Amino acid sequence: VQRVRRLLARRSVRRADGAFVAEGAKLLEVALQLGAEVEAVYLAPEAGPDAVAVAERAGARGVRVFDLAPGVLGRVADTATPQPVLSVVRMPVPPPDVLVGAGFVVVCADVRDPGNAGTVIRTAAAAGADVVVCAGTTVDPYNPKTVRASAGSVLRIPIVVDVEVRSVLQGLGAGGVRRLGAMAEGGRGYDEVDWRAPCAVVLGNEAAGLGPEVGDLIDEQITIPMARQVDSLSVSTAAAVLCFAAARQRSNLQPMTAPAGHRATPQP
Amino acid sequence: VQRVRRLLARRSVRRADGAFVAEGAKLLEVALQLGAEVEAVYLAPEAGPDAVAVAERAGARGVRVFDLAPGVLGRVADTATPQPVLSVVRMPVPPPDVLVGAGFVVVCADVRDPGNAGTVIRTAAAAGADVVVCAGTTVDPYNPKTVRASAGSVLRIPIVVDVEVRSVLQGLGAGGVRRLGAMAEGGRGYDEVDWRAPCAVVLGNEAAGLGPEVGDLIDEQITIPMARQVDSLSVSTAAAVLCFAAARQRSNLQPMTAPAGHRATPQP
């Protein structure tokens, strides 16, 4: 249980241990469904029948399930109203060549808010991106808040961590991946971009955006045109618009929909 | 100051008073820029020079500016780290016929989370929607958390409040507005929809989605195709994808970009 508390609290502990905590029955269910390596499950006395059932399914697959004594959960968990099931899950390690040959990459460059980063990961997974890169001072994707906001998608898509922004952009450029920097204004309209060639959308810090210090490593600045004098979108909203623009053109989604760019007129 | 505290805390007070609180210098700046009716500004001693400058601009326009005594801010404000400028702003009242002739409407049906609702409002404004409707048990858009998440867009776009979901959907249908219900699965691909005819995207509750009780008032169910076994998107992410799909087809945005649906192939 001490391990769970430390895994929730500290990035350095998560890195050293190679594991993180998934809170709640829903996330355990996702982990089992995706075949993630679940090391241990901790079950609080307040767990309802659904949560107990998921923990039992984990147990049936050989996962050790521990019962927590009354009152222990509140001292361990990250939130004020903690989930009664805590699972220790091995951090998936993407293969070292995961960025080689990638068709669509999402790069978080100094995205600091755990909720934003988690939502970006969930969006990138849903839009069929190949990899998410959490670069620079971006929050740790295995932070409990990020895991929650990702709704389990930290387990669905390969995530590259602990890399500098400049070095990952240099590597992508050298690999022939077009680096598209998301800007609040002044860039090319995002829907005029060809998203079918290998590309990476680069999302900057919530307050500062993409800094000039990476300007030489961006191939094209792209912008979402906005109405009503709105001057910016949140990084997670921008990610949703851009990632699904890529998804439409790349038409790599199930169920298949014909991308809009290939029709003369919208269907009635 | 008591008024500010009560306006922050209670929807009923906001309705009776016809006003709400915008926290922070940035939101005051937006309110002044948009010509919103600012009734009073409260300035805490910890306000920095930028915040003081914005308050002075408000004062120059005839807004009463009050200095808060040390320590008062913390007792009044909604957050643990309160903004040193609090502005009382008149709630914009949309004209009664705001939904008549609307081309693109966003309906929140029982959206409960203030952050989600605020992000939807910000997205709808940026995508050039005509109106947002906060229907049923949807959180009050003038809740301080929603105002913050909207980044001031509660002042940018007309918002209809205090209406039942069924009655607003009935009214939209009677007015010839096509009601498109966002569903996690099973609906028509969102990009196959003709968004140029008058339409309303209807977003359901975060947990339950759009209930069957409104099924007879939805003209078409629409779905965002997803990859990697992702089973849902957050309501604010779905709103981003859907509203900007509408924006592209309706091409009502500045700067103008040609909507993808009108091109045979994407530009290089």
Side-chain angles (χ1 to χ4, degrees), chain B residues 156-200:
Chain B
R156 288 195 171 95
I157 184 168
I159 302 179
V160 173
V161 293
D162 301 327
V163 287
E164 289 308 313
V165 175
R166 283 193 66 86
S167 83
V168 73
L169 293 180
Q170 277 160 350
L172 287 167
V177 174
R178 215 169 146 64
R179 300 153 300 186
L180 307 170
M183 317 296 285
E185 56 182 347
R188 187 171 181 196
Y190 74 98
D191 213 47
E192 295 171 39
V193 169
D194 183 355
W195 294 92
R196 295 169 307 172
C199 60

Side-chain angles (χ1 to χ4, degrees), chain B residues 39-106:
Chain B
E39 293 194 350
V41 170
Y42 297 86
L43 199 59
E46 45 271 64
D50 288 356
V52 171
V54 181
E56 280 172 356
R57 272 214 302 288
R61 294 204 198 173
V63 177
R64 290 173 303 167
V65 179
F66 300 96
D67 286 315
L68 292 175
V72 171
L73 181 68
R75 296 205 302 276
V76 167
D78 179 62
T79 52
T81 51
Q83 296 273 354
V85 186
L86 302 175
S87 311
V88 176
V89 183
R90 284 229 74 74
M91 232 173 245
V93 179
D97 60 350
V98 68
L99 288 170
V100 177
F104 181 47
V105 179
V106 177

Side-chain angles (χ1 to χ4, degrees), chain A residues 26 33 122 126 129 156 188 190-192 225-229 231-233 248 253-254 257 260-261 263-264 268, chain B residues 33 122 126 129-130 156 188 190-192 225-229 231-233 248 253-254 257 260-261 263-264 268:
Chain A
K26 183 77 208 301
Q33 176 199 334
R122 184 178 181 183
R156 288 194 171 94
R188 187 171 180 195
Y190 74 97
D191 213 45
E192 294 172 38
M226 289 179 284
R228 292 185 182 278
Q229 308 176 47
D231 56 358
S232 71
L233 295 168
R248 275 192 306 279
L253 300 181
Q254 299 299 329
T257 31
R263 276 201 307 274
Chain B
Q33 176 198 334
R122 183 178 181 183
D130 295 305
R156 288 195 171 95
R188 187 171 181 196
Y190 74 98
D191 213 47
E192 295 171 39
M226 289 180 283
R228 294 187 181 275
Q229 307 176 49
D231 57 359
S232 71
L233 296 169
R248 274 191 308 278
L253 300 181
Q254 300 297 334
T257 32
R263 276 202 306 274

Side-chain angles (χ1 to χ4, degrees), chain B:
Chain B
V1 175
Q2 284 308 307
R3 181 186 177 203
V4 171
R5 194 179 54 72
R6 287 197 304 264
L7 283 172
L8 283 165
R10 297 186 67 88
R11 171 185 188 134
S12 57
V13 174
R14 293 189 289 268
R15 284 297 179 283
D17 196 331
F20 69 100
V21 178
E23 300 165 290
K26 182 76 207 300
L27 285 193
L28 174 55
E29 198 159 3
V30 170
L32 293 174
Q33 176 198 334
L34 295 171
E37 201 177 330
V38 181
E39 293 194 350
V41 170
Y42 297 86
L43 199 59
E46 45 271 64
D50 288 356
V52 171
V54 181
E56 280 172 356
R57 272 214 302 288
R61 294 204 198 173
V63 177
R64 290 173 303 167
V65 179
F66 300 96
D67 286 315
L68 292 175
V72 171
L73 181 68
R75 296 205 302 276
V76 167
D78 179 62
T79 52
T81 51
Q83 296 273 354
V85 186
L86 302 175
S87 311
V88 176
V89 183
R90 284 229 74 74
M91 232 173 245
V93 179
D97 60 350
V98 68
L99 288 170
V100 177
F104 181 47
V105 179
V106 177
V107 179
C108 294
D110 305 329
V111 172
R112 304 300 289 274
D113 179 75
N116 278 338
T119 306
V120 169
I121 291 165
R122 183 178 181 183
T123 295
D130 295 305
V131 195
V132 173
V133 181
C134 291
T137 59
T138 295
V139 65
D140 180 24
Y142 305 103
N143 176 303
K145 292 191 181 70
T146 309
V147 172
R148 280 198 295 275
S150 86
S153 282
V154 290
L155 294 169
R156 288 195 171 95
I157 184 168
I159 302 179
V160 173
V161 293
D162 301 327
V163 287
E164 289 308 313
V165 175
R166 283 193 66 86
S167 83
V168 73
L169 293 180
Q170 277 160 350
L172 287 167
V177 174
R178 215 169 146 64
R179 300 153 300 186
L180 307 170
M183 317 296 285
E185 56 182 347
R188 187 171 181 196
Y190 74 98
D191 213 47
E192 295 171 39
V193 169
D194 183 355
W195 294 92
R196 295 169 307 172
C199 60
V201 58
V202 188
L203 304 164
N205 173 264
E206 290 90 339
L210 266 186
E213 70 280 6
V214 299
D216 61 316
L217 297 173
I218 294 295
D219 297 304
E220 182 149 35
Q221 302 190 342
I222 57 171
T223 290
I224 301 170
M226 289 180 283
R228 294 187 181 275
Q229 307 176 49
V230 176
D231 57 359
S232 71
L233 296 169
S234 75
V235 65
S236 53
T237 300
V241 176
L242 299 176
C243 287
F244 278 91
R248 274 191 308 278
Q249 280 192 17
R250 293 160 41 80
S251 59
N252 54 355
L253 300 181
Q254 300 297 334
M256 294 292 287
T257 32
H262 296 272
R263 276 202 306 274
T265 53
Q267 304 300 309

